[in-house]
Amino acid sequence: MNYAETSRPSVLLVDDKPANLVALSKALENLDCNIVKVCSGQDALFECLNRKFACVLLDVKMPEMDGFETAKIIKNSKEQASFPIIFITGHSESREDIKKGYELGAIDYITKPINARAIAEKVKIYCELFRRRDAAELADQLCQVNAALKEANRKLSLKNTEILDIFYTISHELMTPVGLINTFSSALSDKLGARPDLDTKEELAYIMDSCQQLYVYITDLLDASHLEKHKVILDQKTFNCGELIEKVLVRFKAKCAAKNIALVSNLPHPNTKVKVDEGRFYQIMTNLVNNALKFTEAGGIEIGARPTRDSKFVSFYVNDTGCGISKEHLTEIFNPFYQVMNNKIGRSSGLGLGLSVVKGLVNLHGGTIFVESELGKGTSFSFTMPICIKP
């Protein structure tokens, strides 16, 4: 049920005589409201429990439970006390009865035989008041929800900042010992030279690879913290797009060959240039190509660039023929610490910070990052960088 349906006013007609209900319904047929008809006070109370009414037209003289008793119960209920009640009565009602009706909370009396036009005008007013009150209540609820969401987002943001602060401290302290382990392992490997102890050299190579992976994690943590606090400063210079891509190809040529994955490029016009921080650009591309390589078991990876239609940016892209990303993950993958579960490889390795850092760096350059994916067919990441136009 949508809001338009729930906000349409409902009017309750209560009379023990079906002919009177028909006459009342006929009088209100041109109003934009739901008409609910019941033949007893008990049925009226049941309907009042299930919905809100713009007004209740209540016959005074009814068997078992008369209109006065019904009205008293309605008005004593916290949820239904605001329902406007109009008594329908005959000319035989005494002044005492009329006074009693008003004391019970009635807002008006209508005598039989009813004047269809008069009753329609009265009910129309209460229907309009109901619409305004309902809209005001909805607006108030929306304001409360928005305020709660803002407060929740504020607390989450503070919590993320606190977490990143802790990780920054830990990462900063780890950077030195990890660097020393890597340096001494490399030096020890060089000393072994061509000695026949291959097992030792392989073990040292494993240590250095692990140090390099740990270094990537530490760098991601530090970058995430710096981006959150707007402490990353870019050193932007003008570069040829083709040369930037060629360097990326050189970096990943051997890795792709080792997995028997084709690595192809689509270079833009030789004069196409962008203004970027070279180190940060390669950080972005390295993350995207590493991800493509990680999730691609067969086929290929394409790296390229092309000017956008407005010629204000160059769009760099990394396409793969990997396993793809499901739709529910696409809106989340740029969030910090978010990791995608894959049926073939399980949970992806890493901290879940890489794409978050990539997005932050792209945005810092004044660009935007996009992703398209289809399960079983592959993924395409693209991001824009400001084009450099000679004056």
Side-chain angles (χ1 to χ4, degrees):
M1 185 177 291
N2 60 34
Y3 172 67
E5 291 173 330
T6 57
S7 63
R8 191 168 185 247
S10 294
V11 177
L12 179 61
L13 310 181
V14 189
D15 199 303
D16 62 310
K17 294 180 174 57
N20 290 340
L21 291 174
V22 171
L24 287 170
S25 298
K26 187 69 177 176
L28 304 178
E29 63 182 357
N30 291 326
L31 298 183
D32 182 21
C33 64
N34 301 312
I35 302 296
V36 179
K37 297 176 286 186
V38 295
C39 295
S40 68
Q42 291 92 335
D43 289 340
L45 295 177
F46 177 79
E47 291 295 336
C48 287
L49 289 173
N50 293 317
R51 71 175 82 192
K52 292 181 178 181
F53 287 100
C55 67
V56 179
L57 275 63
L58 182 59
D59 185 32
V60 173
K61 298 293 186 181
M62 292 188 296
E64 296 184 14
M65 181 183 290
D66 64 18
F68 292 142
E69 187 177 354
T70 304
K72 183 178 180 179
I73 295 174
I74 291 174
K75 288 299 180 180
N76 283 337
S77 170
K78 182 179 180 181
E79 289 75 17
Q80 292 94 43
S82 62
F83 295 177
I85 296 175
I86 300 175
F87 278 124
I88 308 294
T89 182
H91 284 294
S92 61
E93 307 303 328
S94 65
R95 289 186 176 181
E96 287 73 17
D97 286 337
I98 293 175
K99 180 181 177 183
K100 181 180 180 182
Y102 282 122
E103 289 174 348
L104 288 171
I107 58 171
D108 205 352
Y109 262 91
I110 294 177
T111 57
K112 300 176 183 177
I114 64 171
N115 181 319
R117 183 175 178 180
I119 198 169
E121 287 297 323
K122 290 178 184 290
V123 172
K124 182 179 179 181
I125 292 171
Y126 291 112
C127 285
E128 182 59 31
L129 290 173
F130 178 88
R131 286 191 184 92
R132 294 180 182 180
R133 183 174 65 249
D134 203 37
E137 289 178 356
L138 180 64
D140 184 59
Q141 290 173 6
L142 288 174
C143 286
Q144 292 179 24
V145 170
N146 285 333
L149 286 173
K150 286 181 180 178
E151 178 61 16
N153 285 334
R154 186 188 68 82
K155 289 181 178 178
L156 284 173
S157 179
L158 287 174
K159 184 61 67 176
N160 280 339
T161 301
E162 290 173 4
I163 292 172
L164 288 172
D165 283 344
I166 293 171
F167 285 150
Y168 175 83
T169 302
I170 296 172
S171 301
H172 194 269
E173 294 299 322
L174 284 174
M175 186 66 81
T176 299
V178 169
L180 288 173
I181 293 171
N182 189 56
T183 300
F184 283 115
S185 298
S186 179
L188 185 56
S189 179
D190 291 340
K191 284 184 178 180
L192 287 175
R195 294 179 186 180
D197 191 359
L198 296 178
D199 288 341
T200 302
K201 292 205 70 172
E202 288 178 359
E203 290 165 359
L204 285 171
Y206 181 78
I207 291 172
M208 287 186 288
D209 286 343
S210 298
C211 283
Q212 184 60 36
Q213 188 59 58
L214 187 55
Y215 177 80
V216 171
Y217 295 159
I218 292 171
T219 301
D220 281 346
L221 285 167
L222 293 173
D223 284 340
S225 179
H226 284 146
L227 285 166
E228 180 73 19
K229 296 181 178 181
H230 308 287
K231 289 184 177 181
V232 176
I233 299 174
L234 299 178
D235 181 20
Q236 290 179 275
K237 296 178 181 178
T238 301
F239 294 93
N240 181 282
C241 292
E243 293 176 0
L244 289 173
I245 292 175
E246 287 289 355
K247 289 182 180 180
V248 176
L249 293 173
V250 171
R251 289 187 179 193
F252 285 93
K253 184 177 180 180
K255 288 185 177 181
C256 288
K259 286 190 68 175
N260 198 27
I261 299 295
L263 180 62
V264 298
S265 63
N266 184 8
L267 303 181
H269 189 279
N271 293 330
T272 306
K273 297 181 179 181
V274 288
K275 192 172 184 180
V276 298
D277 182 311
E278 186 180 20
R280 295 301 186 178
F281 174 84
Y282 287 125
Q283 184 178 350
I284 293 167
M285 290 297 290
T286 297
N287 185 286
L288 296 180
V289 181
N290 269 330
N291 282 343
L293 196 57
K294 183 192 305 182
F295 294 104
T296 302
E297 297 300 324
I301 297 172
E302 180 184 4
I303 303 172
R306 50 180 172 260
T308 57
R309 290 183 179 180
D310 60 8
S311 299
K312 294 180 179 180
F313 296 88
V314 173
S315 177
F316 293 87
Y317 61 87
V318 177
N319 299 338
D320 66 57
T321 57
C323 56
I325 305 170
S326 60
K327 289 183 179 179
E328 62 265 27
H329 291 306
L330 286 179
T331 57
E332 306 288 342
I333 57 175
F334 294 109
N335 292 335
F337 305 109
Y338 189 84
Q339 293 183 311
V340 176
M341 292 294 293
N342 181 269
N343 292 333
K344 291 184 178 180
I345 68 171
R347 186 178 180 181
S348 63
S349 60
L351 301 175
L353 280 173
L355 287 176
S356 173
V357 170
V358 163
K359 182 180 180 181
L361 292 175
V362 169
N363 292 343
L364 200 59
H365 278 83
T368 308
I369 190 165
F370 308 92
V371 60
E372 295 178 358
S373 189
E374 187 174 349
L375 283 176
K377 292 190 176 181
T379 301
S380 174
F381 280 94
S382 62
F383 62 92
T384 58
M385 289 285 164
I387 200 167
C388 184
I389 301 174
K390 291 183 178 181

